[in-house]
Amino acid sequence: MAPRTSIAEFRELVNSSDRIMALLGAGLSAASGLPTFRGAGGLWRNHESTSLATPEAFEADPALVSLFYAWRKHMALKAKPNAGHYALAELAKRKDNFLCLSQNVDGLSSQAGHPESKLRLLHGSILDVTCFNKCGYVEYNNLSDPPCPALAPASEDYPPDQTMPLLDPNMPAPKIELEDLLHCPNCKTGLLRPGVVWFGEALDETMLDDIDDWIMLGRIDLMLVVGTTAAIAPAASYIYDAQQQGAVVAVVNPDPDSADGLGSSDFFFQGSAAEILPQLFVGVIGVMDGDVCQILVSITKFTTPPNVFSLPI
């Protein structure tokens, strides 16, 4: 049978739930103007985005990878949290036993005021920098944009009708000398890299142990899956672990295929998390007004039947 789509039933579940876990993906930040990591064909200057997110890529061409991440950091710093970020932050403040696992590195959940004690950044933060030589140097919440003068082309802004030269594969990439990139102030030899988890790297073991301990504390009433297909480990395993602890799964995603695998006791809400989440949590967080997230949440705003919530893709 198909998963449930009733707002009223879901609100009752949220209101009565004690332990709630959420798994967040890039779809949450899409409404803030941030492209998904694999969006737009997954290309950046004709490079597969995923091919630039490895230690091997950085070692082979640190200038190119640094430009890519300087551009992503610039985009993240320009972006603002959307209503979905604020709704989750408010839910976390009102639910003592709430744990949010985010695969996003953009820093928008923290900017929205999500309590840090209830937020785990699985893949790190693009605002952090660390030493590629692993000497132990880490700098948190570095807001430099560009990170250094050599990477200034990644922080240029152009009108919407103009293509940024850096993003045009037909334009030569800026020539950057190795010595002009940021070097570690601690060991003096290693290059600085973004504090994100690249493909082939292990997630923080202490954080993973902390998450596992939280899961095993007892029954989980609700597992929220927002803006992610949960295709990369350990994301998928956390959904399974929550189900083993009794959780009802609720998926919020514009892709109808994201409902695959959900049971009749689960929920699926198709559409943008920025529009859906504030409505789903009204019973706990109240109505969010324009001063908080630039939208006014009102059920009467929509023409869908009162028990069914579905937004166009």
Side-chain angles (χ1 to χ4, degrees), residues 37-258:
F37 191 67
R38 295 176 179 81
L43 296 179
W44 186 82
R45 292 188 57 89
N46 284 342
H47 296 275
E48 291 284 347
S49 297
T50 52
S51 72
L52 298 174
T54 69
E56 293 78 14
F58 187 82
E59 193 167 24
D61 195 340
L64 180 66
V65 174
S66 295
L67 274 170
F68 174 57
Y69 277 93
W71 171 74
R72 290 188 64 196
K73 180 180 180 180
H74 176 67
M75 295 287 288
L77 288 172
K78 284 175 53 180
K80 301 298 181 185
N82 62 58
H85 293 104
Y86 283 113
L88 285 162
E90 291 304 311
L91 184 67
K93 293 173 185 176
R94 288 163 172 77
K95 291 288 186 177
D96 291 336
N97 296 314
F98 182 94
L99 184 63
C100 187
L101 316 178
S102 179
Q103 301 173 92
N104 298 333
V105 299
D106 50 46
L108 293 182
S109 289
S110 296
Q111 191 177 334
H114 198 112
E116 296 298 327
S117 63
K118 300 178 182 180
L119 180 65
R120 302 292 182 271
L121 302 179
L122 296 178
H123 298 161
S125 170
I126 203 167
L127 304 183
D128 299 341
V129 291
T130 185
C131 179
F132 185 68
N133 283 359
K134 301 180 181 178
C135 75
Y137 177 80
V138 180
E139 181 182 355
Y140 297 101
N141 204 33
N142 180 302
L143 305 182
S144 299
D145 183 27
C148 64
L151 299 175
S155 299
E156 297 174 352
D157 290 315
Y158 287 82
D161 60 342
Q162 294 184 28
T163 301
M164 182 181 185
L166 180 64
L167 302 184
D168 186 350
N170 297 314
M171 298 279 290
K175 184 173 177 57
I176 299 174
E177 301 296 335
L178 195 65
E179 58 264 26
D180 293 330
L181 293 174
L182 288 172
H183 286 68
C184 177
N186 183 45
C187 68
K188 312 298 184 185
T189 56
L191 290 173
L192 291 182
R193 51 158 285 183
V196 300
V197 179
W198 281 331
F199 290 102
E201 294 182 326
L203 275 63
D204 182 83
E205 290 188 9
T206 301
M207 175 187 64
L208 296 180
D209 290 341
D210 175 62
I211 294 171
D212 289 340
D213 290 344
W214 188 92
I215 290 173
M216 297 308 297
L217 282 176
R219 176 183 174 83
I220 298 175
D221 300 298
L222 174 61
M223 176 73 196
L224 292 165
V225 182
V226 181
T228 178
T229 59
I232 300 176
S237 65
Y238 287 135
I239 299 172
Y240 174 78
D241 291 342
Q243 288 175 312
Q244 292 298 107
Q245 293 290 81
V248 172
V249 177
V251 174
V252 178
N253 201 303
D255 183 359
D257 291 339
S258 297

